[in-house]
Amino acid sequence: MQDLIAKVGKGEKASKDLTYQEATAAMRWLLEKQATPVQTGAFLLAMRVKSESVSELAAFASVARGYVKPLPIPAGIAVVDIPTYAGKQDGWHALLPAAIIAAAAGVHLLLHGFDGVPGRRSTAAVASALNIPVDLTPDDVAKDVSEKGFGYLDIALYHPPVHRFLEMRKELGVRTFFQPVARLMNPARAPVSIIGLSHPPYFEKIAEALRMIGTPQALVLRGLEGEPELSITSVTKAIELRDDRITPLAIHPKDAGMQMGRLDVPVPKDPPEEAALLTKLLGNELQGAGEAWIIMNAAAILYMAGKASSIRAAVPLAMETLKSGAAKNKLAALADKRS
């Protein structure tokens, strides 16, 4: 570990990337607690200063995946993997209602994340306020994904060592490479991933790492506040990975047939207030830019799930699912009856 710290920690000009094999060894030592606390902190910060290479990210993610089994979802069910680790501070979640609309339209989705980013409303906190279970075992989450088309997996219950490093952000005060690694976990080994990022250096790297790992399809977004969401107020930079080809995109609301506009809904002050807002949206009780925003994001999920040939082509299905009451019914079906 000392040799690897020396290699990545020599400063901006002298530091070198680890080989795939070296990154693999380092990740094992971290996850198995063979590195001392001092070595762990030094390595994490040195990697942050150097910035991770594509090969390092792929190695870290592959090793982390190797310590846990994939969710037991039947092979015939094609799942869309959506990591949600950033949380919201300046807005509200379009991802959650968009995912529920997509599930109501026949897509099987797995959301995974954790409720631990300081000062932010997590997807888990808002889902919990909607009475959607967020503390199920991996086997029970797999059952929900298979039977209901939607499940939320707490990374702490699926991969405690990765969660331990995510929580370390509170001590260090900065993110580490475990933030992007968590997004690459893909607990269901789904053929499709939709990943949101806010840090520009990771944008192309995550797409390349996904290809290196062997992900068939992915949509990587410069999402709002780091969540996997298209913006209704601006152009969203994106990268699509499909059949081993990487294509850079700039997705404008008009590409989905939507008008670019400002969200006129006040930022919720807490998860219950946001849950009330999302309930109204899914109940088709609110129109305007907010509705357009969730339709646009639902259409993106439907497109990636193969329900349409483009995001624009998926809009009618998303709209019909909302207007017909199917999305409202799906939300009711997802609610934990023990609540």
Side-chain angles (χ1 to χ4, degrees):
M1 199 67 186
Q2 290 171 325
D3 291 340
L4 300 186
I5 292 170
K7 185 172 182 179
V8 301
K10 289 184 178 180
E12 184 177 352
K13 295 183 179 179
S15 63
K16 296 181 180 179
D17 293 336
L18 301 178
T19 65
Y20 189 93
Q21 291 72 22
E22 288 171 334
T24 295
M27 190 62 160
R28 286 177 178 160
W29 293 333
L30 291 173
L31 294 178
E32 295 176 7
K33 296 185 179 180
Q34 294 186 35
T36 68
V38 170
Q39 290 173 337
T40 297
F43 183 75
L44 293 176
L45 291 179
M47 288 296 297
R48 176 178 169 83
V49 172
K50 180 186 75 68
S51 187
E52 303 82 16
S53 69
V54 170
S55 178
E56 288 168 342
L57 285 171
F60 294 153
S62 295
V63 171
R65 287 182 178 190
Y67 281 81
V68 286
K69 295 180 180 179
L71 295 191
I73 295 173
I77 297 177
V79 178
V80 177
D81 168 74
I82 308 181
T84 169
Y85 287 85
K88 290 286 184 170
Q89 183 177 25
D90 301 322
W92 47 275
H93 295 79
L95 168 62
L96 190 52
I100 292 171
I101 291 172
V107 179
H108 294 265
L109 301 112
L110 173 67
L111 274 62
H112 55 97
F114 79 124
D115 187 16
V117 181
R120 292 189 172 221
R121 279 171 288 109
S122 67
T123 298
V126 178
S128 180
L130 288 166
N131 293 324
I132 296 173
V134 296
D135 58 355
L136 298 180
T137 66
D139 284 352
D140 285 339
V141 173
K143 184 177 180 181
D144 273 2
V145 172
S146 301
E147 297 179 357
K148 298 181 180 181
F150 181 100
Y152 177 88
L153 178 64
D154 186 337
I155 196 69
L157 299 177
Y158 177 65
H159 204 311
V162 167
H163 176 256
R164 174 167 54 88
F165 281 96
L166 291 173
E167 287 284 279
M168 203 173 289
R169 179 174 182 172
K170 297 175 183 176
E171 290 185 72
L172 294 175
V174 294
R175 63 139 192 93
T176 69
F177 61 76
F178 277 90
Q179 269 67 41
V181 164
R183 289 167 165 84
L184 294 169
M185 284 300 299
N186 194 351
R189 304 299 186 268
V192 179
S193 288
I194 302 175
I195 295 177
L197 298 160
S198 59
H199 299 287
Y202 286 111
F203 192 48
E204 288 88 2
K205 289 180 182 180
I206 287 292
E208 292 285 358
L210 285 165
R211 180 164 65 176
M212 192 171 182
I213 291 170
T215 304
Q217 288 179 244
L219 186 65
V220 182
L221 306 172
R222 284 285 302 280
L224 297 174
E225 299 188 69
E227 289 288 0
E229 298 171 346
L230 298 173
S231 175
I232 195 71
T233 62
S234 62
V235 175
T236 303
K237 290 185 178 181
I239 295 176
E240 184 174 4
L241 169 64
R242 187 179 292 265
D243 300 327
D244 209 37
R245 295 183 60 184
I246 288 178
T247 306
L249 303 170
I251 303 175
H252 192 287
K254 68 181 180 181
D255 296 330
M258 304 295 182
Q259 294 293 322
M260 184 181 290
R262 294 181 60 186
L263 292 170
D264 51 4
V265 178
V267 177
K269 65 178 185 294
D270 55 30
E273 188 173 295
E274 181 169 347
L277 167 64
L278 300 189
T279 299
K280 288 183 179 180
L281 282 163
L282 289 168
N284 193 32
E285 297 177 27
L286 295 176
Q287 283 72 50
E291 180 189 68
W293 190 28
I294 64 169
I295 289 295
M296 180 180 178
N297 278 280
I301 297 171
L302 291 168
Y303 161 64
M304 290 302 295
K307 296 291 185 179
S309 59
S310 67
I311 295 175
R312 177 186 282 268
V315 167
L317 175 57
M319 187 71 75
E320 173 59 24
T321 304
L322 178 64
K323 301 297 185 184
S324 68
K328 180 180 180 179
N329 293 338
K330 175 60 71 173
L331 174 60
L334 294 175
D336 190 343
K337 296 302 187 292
R338 296 170 299 177
S339 300

